[in-house]
């Protein structure tokens, strides 16, 4: 893996989960495929900077159930805010990516 950068930076384009992230998601019973786009959108919208984005994703995955991770069975995330619903609907309709 790439050496850790000493300064915090915004999430890189093309950020992909590593094996540890996938293991943490499996252990927590959450879907990496559902959580990753939310994680990326959340941090891009806030212009977050981190030294270790994979560690940040692990924290997100560990907190996903507490903050409404998972789905309601209808494909809609539990605890979805109105903003998140609008973003999801826009993505589903191809208005945004």
């Amino acid at each position: 893996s790439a050496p850790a950068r000493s300064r915090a930076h915004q999430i890189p384009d093309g950020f992909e989960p590593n094996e540890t992230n996938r293991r943490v998601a499996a252990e927590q019973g959450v879907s990496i495929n559902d959580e990753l786009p939310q994680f990326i959108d959340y941090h891009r919208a806030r212009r977050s900077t981190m030294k270790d984005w994979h560690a940040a994703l692990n924290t997100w995955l560990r907190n996903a159930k507490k903050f409404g991770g998972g789905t309601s069975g209808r494909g809609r995330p539990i605890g979805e805010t109105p903003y998140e619903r609008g973003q999801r609907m826009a993505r589903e309709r191809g208005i945004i990516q």
Side-chain angles (χ1 to χ4, degrees), residues 71-86:
T71 63
S72 64
R74 295 175 299 176
R76 182 182 62 78
I78 297 167
E80 184 178 53
T81 67
Y83 171 80
E84 290 165 337
R85 179 176 182 268

Side-chain angles (χ1 to χ4, degrees), residues 23-70:
R23 180 178 48 76
V24 169
E27 288 169 356
Q28 298 300 313
V30 296
S31 167
I32 193 94
N33 294 329
D34 290 344
E35 295 299 326
L36 183 64
Q38 293 181 54
F39 172 79
I40 291 171
D41 287 352
Y42 179 90
H43 288 293
R44 283 222 169 105
R46 287 158 182 77
R47 297 181 171 259
S48 303
T49 58
M50 304 276 176
K51 289 185 177 184
D52 185 340
W53 280 101
H54 290 105
L57 178 55
N58 284 340
T59 300
W60 178 279
L61 295 167
R62 288 183 182 109
N63 287 326
K65 283 189 177 176
K66 178 170 43 175
F67 293 113

